[in-house]
Amino acid sequence: MVKLTLCNEVLRDHDFREQCRLAAALGYDGLEVAPFTLSEDPATISSSDRQTLRQTAEDHGLSITGLHWLFLTPSGLSLTSDDPETVRRTRSHIEALIDLCADLGGKVLIHGSPQQRMLSDASSPEHARDTALEHLHTAGELCVEADATYCIEPLAPHLTDFVNTVAEAVKLIEEAGSAGLATMLDTLAAWNGEAQAPETVLDQWLGTGRIAHIHFNDTNSQAPGQGDRNFADILATLQEHRYSGYVGIEPFKYEPSGVAAAACAAGYLRGLEDAGRAAP
């Protein structure tokens, strides 16, 4: 069975303990935490609060699997800006989030944050790429020490002009040159940005070890099972490649509520798995 982790902003209307209770009750194996749900400045979360968050998840039988949506807060961060003060603040934030992830027990950091990685943030596209490479190399090296992986997330062209496909992400992390770097696949982004279907992209790249995480969401921005896309072939590809990582459930529209969306996704995906096992 695929391991499911719920992106916790889906339950942001509830406090963290209730998020854990609900996720566990719905059959999730973990929570993938968006730092902005914890603090406007996640770097300032105290050591004792980090211990409490981790213990709360463990008390409910969950792991905090990692972090995502890394640059939403505080404001003014950018992976690509070559402004010296922005570079300094961004580097400090990356270092702080890797520490936070390790303290919470997480193993992956998913760098999406499309508006905070635009080529226009820098004086030229070349400088933007060079700055991103420096940040990513540092992040990767720190993740090696923290036993974690920093994943640059390919996102659709209508969201950002920097890293739109898995192939582009792989080229970038290879140039950055750190064993602590990888990429991932988000199904909504793949349907909107890749030339091939998500299952084909996964079949191409899973065997390379470059994909360390996956997000599931439908093209209507709702949860799997709430749109027109069938995830059976994607699950079959994961099984074929014996993917052992987590699948993060990350809808952006919560219909009719966050709890309902999370419940629908878990039930739908477990049902597909059951149907696949029952097939002759």
Side-chain angles (χ1 to χ4, degrees):
M1 290 180 66
V2 70
K3 296 183 294 185
L4 297 181
T5 182
L6 180 64
C7 294
N8 81 311
E9 73 274 7
V10 176
L11 302 177
R12 72 181 82 178
D13 293 337
H14 304 274
D15 65 30
F16 190 77
R17 180 171 296 278
E18 182 65 2
Q19 291 176 26
C20 292
R21 187 192 71 78
L22 288 167
L26 294 173
Y28 285 88
D29 304 291
L31 279 182
E32 184 177 322
V33 173
F36 78 88
T37 66
L38 305 179
S39 171
E40 284 295 310
D41 187 358
T44 65
I45 299 172
S46 69
S47 176
S48 61
D49 285 345
R50 296 175 188 214
Q51 292 174 8
T52 298
L53 291 165
R54 182 171 180 169
Q55 188 62 55
T56 298
E58 291 176 356
D59 288 346
H60 288 84
L62 301 173
S63 299
I64 295 179
T65 56
L67 307 179
H68 69 287
W69 220 338
L70 305 181
F71 279 20
L72 189 62
T73 61
S75 63
L77 302 170
S78 172
L79 186 69
T80 49
S81 172
D82 55 356
D83 170 70
E85 178 58 20
T86 303
V87 169
R88 184 197 66 78
R89 292 182 65 246
T90 297
R91 186 68 54 82
S92 177
H93 181 72
I94 290 172
E95 293 169 356
L97 286 190
I98 293 170
D99 285 343
L100 175 62
C101 187
D103 289 343
L104 296 177
K107 296 297 183 182
V108 292
L109 295 96
I110 308 303
H111 192 116
S113 301
Q115 297 305 309
Q116 292 80 29
R117 63 190 233 201
M118 304 296 287
L119 294 177
S120 58
D121 287 351
S123 55
S124 71
E126 294 76 19
H127 285 170
R129 183 179 177 84
D130 288 345
T131 302
L133 284 168
E134 292 175 4
H135 284 313
L136 289 171
H137 177 79
T138 298
E141 293 300 283
L142 290 172
C143 278
V144 170
E145 297 176 11
D147 190 27
T149 303
Y150 199 94
C151 299
I152 183 72
E153 179 178 12
L155 292 171
H158 72 275
L159 295 175
T160 185
D161 56 4
F162 185 59
V163 188
N164 303 125
T165 67
V166 169
E168 291 173 1
V170 169
K171 182 178 180 181
L172 186 72
I173 62 176
E174 288 179 347
E175 190 174 344
S178 173
L181 296 174
T183 186
M184 53 86 66
L185 184 137
D186 176 284
T187 55
L188 172 58
W191 274 310
N192 286 324
E194 299 277 357
Q196 298 172 305
E199 59 268 26
T200 304
V201 178
L202 289 169
D203 188 50
Q204 177 183 356
W205 290 105
L206 277 175
T208 69
R210 292 302 196 185
I211 289 181
H213 194 61
I214 295 167
H215 280 161
F216 275 3
N217 32 42
D218 210 314
T219 46
N220 62 358
S221 295
Q222 293 181 236
Q226 292 187 306
D228 295 330
R229 297 290 185 169
N230 189 327
F231 284 73
D233 287 344
I234 301 174
L235 286 174
T237 301
L238 297 182
Q239 182 176 1
E240 180 181 347
H241 285 271
R242 298 183 180 180
Y243 174 72
S244 60
Y246 284 89
V247 170
I249 303 305
E250 190 188 27
F252 298 103
K253 295 179 180 178
Y254 315 139
E255 298 292 343
S257 67
V259 175
C264 180
Y268 168 72
L269 294 170
R270 295 307 187 202
L272 286 181
E273 288 186 317
D274 289 344
R277 284 191 293 271

